[in-house]
Amino acid sequence: MRELHGLVATGESQTLELKRSTGQLGAAGKTLCAFLNAEGGTVVFGVADDGRVIGQAVSDKTRREIAAMLERFEPPAGVEVEYLDLPAAGKQVVVLRAKPARDARPFTYDRRPYQHVETTTSVMPQERYEALLLDRA
């Protein structure tokens, strides 16, 4: 748990995105895609805007929604999912880690490629996408 607090204490960066809840799964999918198209990165759910670890209720429905979001990557992505208990709050923090996969890039999410610059995720320019396709070939 100490590692989690250390991770979120640094704030968002080129390889870290913090989300309040899995209600933001769509935005997280775009960010994970951008991380996969770069050097990898981590999305953490259950963190308030001010950096406090607040957790969230994780039900079977939540787990299915995460699995469905992960199925929207092409090619299939190597994203690790970890659920960390917050016993005092009766909630969990969800950590999604996108592992770098240079041989599989570029990745798309909902058929669009994404990139992450500083703390912003955006659609990848066509030229960059084509260059990554050529590298993969």
Side-chain angles (χ1 to χ4, degrees):
M1 191 58 60
R2 186 173 289 171
E3 289 177 26
L4 174 65
H5 287 284
L7 179 68
V8 301
T10 63
E12 291 190 339
S13 69
Q14 184 74 22
T15 58
L16 178 65
E17 183 97 3
L18 306 173
K19 301 287 185 193
R20 185 171 193 86
S21 75
T22 52
Q24 299 172 294
L25 270 176
K30 293 173 183 177
T31 298
L32 286 167
C33 180
F35 288 161
L36 288 162
N37 285 326
E39 301 305 317
T42 304
V43 175
V44 180
F45 294 98
V47 180
D49 292 339
D50 62 6
R52 287 179 299 118
V53 176
I54 56 173
Q56 74 165 66
V58 176
S59 65
D60 184 54
K61 180 182 179 216
T62 306
R63 292 173 186 263
R64 286 194 314 266
E65 289 170 344
I66 291 169
M69 182 268 295
L70 294 175
E71 290 175 2
R72 293 159 62 184
F73 287 98
E74 186 62 42
V79 176
E80 294 177 359
V81 182
E82 185 177 8
Y83 300 92
L84 304 174
D85 292 324
L86 298 175
K91 297 179 179 181
Q92 291 182 307
V93 171
V94 182
V95 180
L96 302 178
R97 289 186 184 89
K99 300 292 184 182
R102 289 185 172 278
D103 58 329
R105 292 189 313 190
F107 288 88
T108 61
Y109 176 74
D110 280 343
R111 299 181 183 213
R112 297 192 81 176
Y114 291 91
Q115 65 182 5
H116 198 74
V117 178
E118 296 300 327
T119 60
T120 303
T121 300
S122 61
V123 175
M124 182 182 289
Q126 185 68 29
E127 315 79 60
R128 173 79 175 127
Y129 179 67
E130 290 171 358
L132 287 174
L133 279 173
L134 288 172
D135 285 347
R136 183 170 73 184

